[in-house]
Amino acid sequence: MDIKLGKNDKRYIEGSDDVFSIMQRVLLRENKIDKEKEHFWIIGMNEAGYILYIELIALGSVKAVNIEPMNVYRVAVMKNATRVIAIHNHPTGRLAPSKADLDITDRLIQVGRILNIALVDHLIISTEAYESFRNMGIMDDLEKSITYVPTYQVVEQIRKEEKKIARDKVKLANDKTKIERERREKLEFAMVSTLIDKNVSIEDIAKIMEVTPKAVESIVNKFNFLASNKAK
């Protein structure tokens, strides 16, 4: 059942207050809907938040409403919606989400990912007030859930994480090696510079450092080169 917007209703969704403002009036004015029963709507939007449709997906009992994820996304696919918001009412006025509410939201998030349609939020409303899963932080938690993620995707994600950890370890080791090498080279240059300032010959410096005279000259030339480039 397609819900028509009134002439005073906003056409753009900027936040959960906008959603409630629209759906509160829908809940109050729809004489065809039994207000003592739970019903489940979907608002479909484009990327800019413009409302493409409002659809009544299911009408339930006084305590529950059964939702099939593909029914939720059927219209979204046909109308090219890229973002959707779920809304359902609690006739009792109690707005705390039930385990079933959390479960269906989790499922809808995963089906939406497969279809490249984002479930932006889920609101529980009464004629007087509402609660937003996004505002409560529930969406953030459910978006991390793997309850309904296909097993192959979980394995794939684990492998990606393992590869990332391995790359990070190699990078860390390389960075550590580079830092240690630079530190050693600076110490060597400091020692060579100090000894040269004291008029110690290259040969004697090589004996002190237990390296070849050529290695001492290489240390000096390298730092002289770096210093000259920095000065430019």
Side-chain angles (χ1 to χ4, degrees):
M1 177 181 174
D2 186 24
I3 306 297
K4 302 298 182 183
L5 289 171
K7 62 181 180 180
N8 295 322
D9 290 325
K10 287 184 67 173
R11 261 49 182 184
Y12 285 88
I13 297 296
E14 296 177 309
S16 54
D17 285 346
D18 291 337
V19 178
F20 177 62
S21 177
I22 293 169
M23 297 312 300
Q24 182 187 37
R25 288 197 290 277
V26 170
L27 186 59
L28 289 170
R29 77 182 180 221
E30 287 294 332
N31 296 324
K32 296 178 182 178
I33 297 175
D34 187 343
K35 296 180 179 63
E36 297 304 314
K37 296 179 180 179
E38 284 196 17
H39 30 287
F40 193 99
W41 297 275
I42 286 290
I43 295 179
M45 303 170 292
N46 63 16
E47 282 297 313
Y50 181 81
I51 298 172
L52 300 175
Y53 67 90
I54 301 175
E55 183 84 6
L56 176 63
I57 301 298
L59 181 62
S61 67
V62 294
K63 292 184 179 180
V65 57
N66 293 323
I67 305 300
E68 289 296 330
M70 290 315 299
N71 288 339
V72 169
Y73 288 106
R74 173 180 52 83
V75 180
V77 171
M78 290 191 299
K79 297 200 175 184
N80 295 317
T82 57
R83 305 166 72 210
V84 296
I85 296 175
I87 308 100
H88 81 279
N89 69 310
H90 279 181
T92 61
R94 185 174 179 271
L95 302 178
S98 65
K99 185 178 183 303
D101 294 336
L102 299 176
D103 188 67
I104 188 59
T105 306
D106 193 351
R107 289 177 64 195
L108 290 175
I109 288 171
Q110 295 308 325
V111 174
R113 283 175 175 165
I114 294 170
L115 298 172
N116 290 320
I117 300 172
L119 179 67
V120 178
D121 201 353
H122 185 168
L123 272 66
I124 300 175
I125 69 171
S126 70
T127 56
E128 303 296 331
Y130 77 95
E131 284 287 2
S132 157
F133 283 29
R134 179 67 65 187
N135 294 349
M136 289 189 287
I138 293 174
M139 293 299 293
D140 293 334
D141 292 336
L142 292 178
E143 284 164 357
K144 299 172 187 172
S145 169
I146 60 171
T147 303
Y148 292 102
V149 177
T151 303
Y152 78 90
Q153 288 187 359
V154 176
V155 172
E156 185 179 303
Q157 185 61 34
I158 291 172
R159 286 175 177 167
K160 284 182 180 178
E161 290 297 324
E162 287 175 342
K163 288 179 181 178
K164 182 178 182 299
I165 290 170
R167 288 196 302 269
D168 289 345
K169 283 184 177 179
V170 170
K171 184 178 183 301
L172 183 62
N174 290 340
D175 289 346
K176 187 176 179 181
T177 301
K178 182 181 178 182
I179 291 170
E180 289 177 348
R181 184 177 68 251
E182 290 175 349
R183 181 174 175 274
R184 185 182 66 252
E185 288 175 348
K186 286 179 181 179
L187 288 173
E188 289 175 345
F189 178 71
M191 181 181 291
V192 171
S193 297
T194 300
L195 293 174
I196 288 175
D197 289 342
K198 294 181 178 295
N199 297 318
V200 178
S201 67
I202 296 293
E203 290 73 15
D204 288 338
I205 293 174
K207 290 177 183 177
I208 292 170
M209 296 180 66
E210 297 181 346
V211 296
T212 64
K214 188 175 181 180
V216 174
E217 291 174 357
S218 177
I219 292 170
V220 174
N221 291 336
K222 179 180 179 180
F223 277 87
N224 284 340
F225 175 77
L226 292 175
S228 63
N229 282 346
K230 186 178 288 188
K232 292 177 181 178

